Amino acid sequence: MIVIPTDIQKKISEALSLPYDDSMQDWDMEVADAERVEEFITFLKKGLFTKEEKYAVMALLIASFDNLLWTERTDSTQIWEQIKELLLKDRDLYVDHINYWSLKDESDDPENLFKITSFMREFS
C-alpha cells in the first residue's frame, strides 16, 4: 500500500480544496474525484512541488482516473495519454503507484482488478 505523509495530504487537500480528516486511512482514494481529473492533471503539470507532493498528487490523480473509468465518459483514452506522459516523465518517482495499480501478480480476471489495471500494465 502507498503511504502518503499526513502533512503532505493536508497541504494538497488545502491547495485543491479537498476534504481532509486525520482519520482518513486511504486519503487518495477517499478524496478521489472523477469529475476533477483534468484539474488534477493541470495542477500536477504546474510542477511547483516537492517530490513527496508530486507523489501525493499522482496518487490522487490515479485514484480519480480509476473512478472515472466507472463512468460513461468517452474521453478516457485522451485523458490516459496525459496521465501516461506524466508517469513516464517521472517513472522512478511513481514506480510504487505503477506496481500497486497494475496488480502484476493477479490474473486477468476483471473481478480481481481495478479498472485502471490494464492501463497501468502498459508499464510492466
Side-chain angles (χ1 to χ4, degrees):
M1 188 63 183
I2 298 164
V3 178
I4 299 167
T6 56
D7 61 319
I8 301 295
Q9 293 175 23
K10 288 178 187 177
K11 184 174 183 178
I12 300 302
S13 292
E14 184 177 307
L16 289 168
S17 299
L18 297 168
Y20 179 80
D21 185 295
D22 287 333
S23 67
M24 291 180 170
Q25 292 188 355
D26 296 317
W27 169 82
D28 51 323
M29 293 183 197
E30 290 188 47
V31 299
D33 188 341
E35 297 298 318
R36 296 180 67 185
V37 169
E38 287 103 334
E39 176 187 349
F40 299 153
I41 290 170
T42 300
F43 186 72
L44 190 55
K45 283 183 176 180
K46 288 181 182 178
L48 306 173
F49 309 103
T50 65
K51 285 184 178 184
E52 293 83 7
E53 292 164 352
K54 284 174 70 172
Y55 186 86
V57 175
M58 181 57 78
L60 172 62
L61 175 56
I62 292 170
S64 297
F65 183 69
D66 187 64
N67 289 350
L68 180 140
L69 293 172
W70 289 94
T71 70
E72 300 293 321
R73 294 216 16 202
T74 59
D75 59 347
S76 61
T77 303
Q78 294 168 330
I79 293 170
W80 170 247
E81 290 303 317
Q82 294 179 68
I83 296 170
K84 184 177 171 180
E85 180 182 320
L86 291 166
L87 286 166
L88 286 170
K89 183 177 177 186
D90 286 307
R91 185 180 179 141
D92 290 343
L93 177 61
Y94 302 133
V95 70
D96 289 342
H97 295 318
I98 294 166
N99 290 337
Y100 176 80
W101 290 94
S102 65
L103 296 172
K104 290 188 243 182
D105 295 330
E106 287 291 332
S107 69
D108 290 337
D109 181 354
E111 292 291 318
N112 298 331
L113 305 176
F114 300 111
K115 284 286 192 179
I116 196 174
T117 297
S118 62
F119 293 88
M120 295 302 270
R121 285 183 173 176
E122 292 178 28
F123 295 99
S124 299

